[in-house]
Amino acid sequence: MTRDTYAALQLKIQKEITRLQKQAQALQSKQRSPVITSIVRSMREYDITPEEIAAAYNKKKSARPATRPARAATAAKRTIPPKYKHPETGATWTGRGKAPRWISEAETAGKSRDQFLIKR
């Protein structure tokens, strides 16, 4: 492929991207218009001011986490105590998820996982 052909192809692709972006913007605008009309109609019906909407929007926006659902945020706060401990290195494992290498190697060597249990 020559440089001229590559440049022409790149220009053609760029034009297609621009055309599709304009088409997407037009579609979004077309879909948003009835929603905005409905919101304005409801605001007039219930005598709601734009300031009240802005205050409510900012209040709800700051109350919820940025990207995580509430359930995931609370799950991240909880710590799980370790269930297994390596006697030599002191490495621990909760017993959840993939077993660490030291447990896997010990089981391969014929030892039982129960030998590493932390006594409570």
Side-chain angles (χ1 to χ4, degrees):
M1 182 180 289
T2 65
R3 177 169 239 148
D4 294 332
T5 307
Y6 176 76
L9 187 59
Q10 190 176 22
L11 182 62
K12 183 179 176 182
I13 291 171
Q14 201 61 25
K15 285 182 181 179
E16 182 70 12
I17 289 171
T18 304
R19 183 186 69 77
L20 289 171
Q21 285 174 338
K22 287 180 182 177
Q23 186 179 359
Q25 287 173 350
L27 180 62
Q28 184 182 27
S29 177
K30 185 178 179 181
Q31 289 177 336
R32 289 173 52 133
S33 183
V35 174
I36 292 171
T37 303
S38 172
I39 291 170
V40 170
R41 185 180 312 121
S42 295
M43 286 175 65
R44 287 183 180 142
E45 181 179 342
Y46 293 100
D47 197 30
I48 298 172
T49 65
E51 291 78 19
E52 291 174 312
I53 297 293
Y57 181 78
N58 291 333
K59 180 180 175 184
K60 288 191 179 217
K61 192 174 185 179
S62 63
R64 65 182 141 116
T67 57
R68 295 184 191 152
R71 184 175 177 187
T74 57
K77 293 178 185 177
R78 194 173 92 207
T79 59
I80 295 147
K83 187 173 179 182
Y84 301 95
K85 184 176 181 179
H86 192 282
E88 296 169 10
T89 64
T92 59
W93 179 48
T94 62
R96 295 185 178 190
K98 186 177 178 183
R101 185 172 287 149
W102 57 270
I103 288 269
S104 300
E105 289 173 354
E107 288 178 329
T108 304
K111 293 184 180 179
S112 172
R113 193 176 278 194
D114 295 338
Q115 293 176 332
F116 300 102
L117 276 173
I118 296 174
K119 307 278 191 267
R120 304 238 183 229

